[in-house]
């Protein structure tokens, strides 16, 4: 399957690694506004680099678009790809509002295309263990739980450091 990636950040390289392991995917294009990042990630794949999603969609015919752009752009990028009739796999979160999510789901149905969001945490061993403890209750009923998932710091100016982009 021919895949185009939108975004050339750290999660994109993880997606490429997984696609190589599966072996049924060929990354043909990568778009990122920081063209040097797109080019650096595209070269080992033999893919073409683009500076924008618009340029990629005008020039490229992927069977699937893998959206790995910053979270605040997921809605915009998914909307463009679904509107073009393309199958989409999107990193989490799918959008920042329920209304946007409903709109994208309806558009995917209307276009008859595949649309999936990568909510993968539930498959991590820690979360699978927790689910087992809740449902099987080997130690009795869960009465209280407090969890904290931390993520590393980011360089100054990163979108992760902007509260408006991380709602």
């Amino acid at each position: 399957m021919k895949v185009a990636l939108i975004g050339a950040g750290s999660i994109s390289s993880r997606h490429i690694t997984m696609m190589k392991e599966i072996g049924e995917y060929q990354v043909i294009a990568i778009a990122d506004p920081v063209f040097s990042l797109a080019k650096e990630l595209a070269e080992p794949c033999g893919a073409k680099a683009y500076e924008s999603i618009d340029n990629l969609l005008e020039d490229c015919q992927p069977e699937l678009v893998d959206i790995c752009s910053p979270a605040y752009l997921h809605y915009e990028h998914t909307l463009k790809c679904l509107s073009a009739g393309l199958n989409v796999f999107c990193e989490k979160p799918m959008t920042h509002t329920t209304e946007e999510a409903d709109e994208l789901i309806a558009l995917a149905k209307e276009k008859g295309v595949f649309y999936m969001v990568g909510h993968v945490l539930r498959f991590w061993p820690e979360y699978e263990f927790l689910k087992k403890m809740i449902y099987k209750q080997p130690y009795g009923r869960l009465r209280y739980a407090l969890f904290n998932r931390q993520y590393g710091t980011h360089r100054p100016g990163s979108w992760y450091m902007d509260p408006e982009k991380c709602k």
Side-chain angles (χ1 to χ4, degrees):
M1 179 175 280
K2 294 178 180 178
V3 180
L5 265 80
I6 308 301
S10 59
I11 197 66
S12 299
S13 56
R14 181 77 177 129
H15 282 224
I16 290 171
T17 299
M18 301 285 38
M19 284 186 251
K20 286 179 183 175
E21 284 184 24
I22 294 169
E24 298 176 18
Y25 301 93
Q26 175 191 6
V27 177
I28 61 168
I30 299 174
D32 195 286
V34 180
F35 184 69
S36 60
L37 291 177
K39 190 174 179 182
E40 181 180 327
L41 200 57
E43 282 179 359
C45 302
K48 188 169 179 182
Y50 295 87
E51 288 186 58
S52 75
I53 184 174
D54 295 326
N55 292 347
L56 183 147
L57 294 176
E58 288 172 12
D59 187 54
C60 185
Q61 299 272 317
E63 296 170 82
L64 172 69
V65 178
D66 186 358
I67 298 180
C68 299
S69 54
Y72 70 96
L73 295 172
H74 288 179
Y75 168 76
E76 174 190 336
H77 290 168
T78 301
L79 182 64
K80 285 182 181 190
C81 293
L82 292 176
S83 295
L86 297 168
N87 298 302
V88 172
F89 180 85
C90 183
E91 258 301 324
K92 63 195 165 308
M94 68 191 299
T95 66
H96 287 284
T97 70
T98 303
E99 294 76 22
E100 290 174 347
D102 289 343
E103 180 185 348
L104 295 178
I105 291 167
L107 181 58
K109 287 179 182 177
E110 175 190 317
K111 294 288 187 173
V113 295
F114 168 84
Y115 174 40
M116 181 177 177
V117 180
H119 291 289
V120 298
L121 293 181
R122 62 184 168 193
F123 302 114
W124 288 15
E126 303 92 326
Y127 292 83
E128 288 180 338
F129 175 81
L130 176 61
K131 182 180 178 185
K132 182 177 164 186
M133 294 299 106
I134 291 170
Y135 287 100
K136 300 206 181 232
Q137 300 183 5
Y139 306 112
R141 192 175 127 250
L142 179 67
R143 297 193 182 274
Y144 178 80
L146 176 63
F147 301 94
N148 184 6
R149 180 172 177 237
Q150 297 179 345
Y151 194 73
T153 58
H154 291 272
R155 68 188 181 282
S158 167
W159 68 271
Y160 281 105
M161 306 308 286
D162 184 340
E164 285 302 308
K165 295 178 180 175
C166 294
K167 292 179 183 178

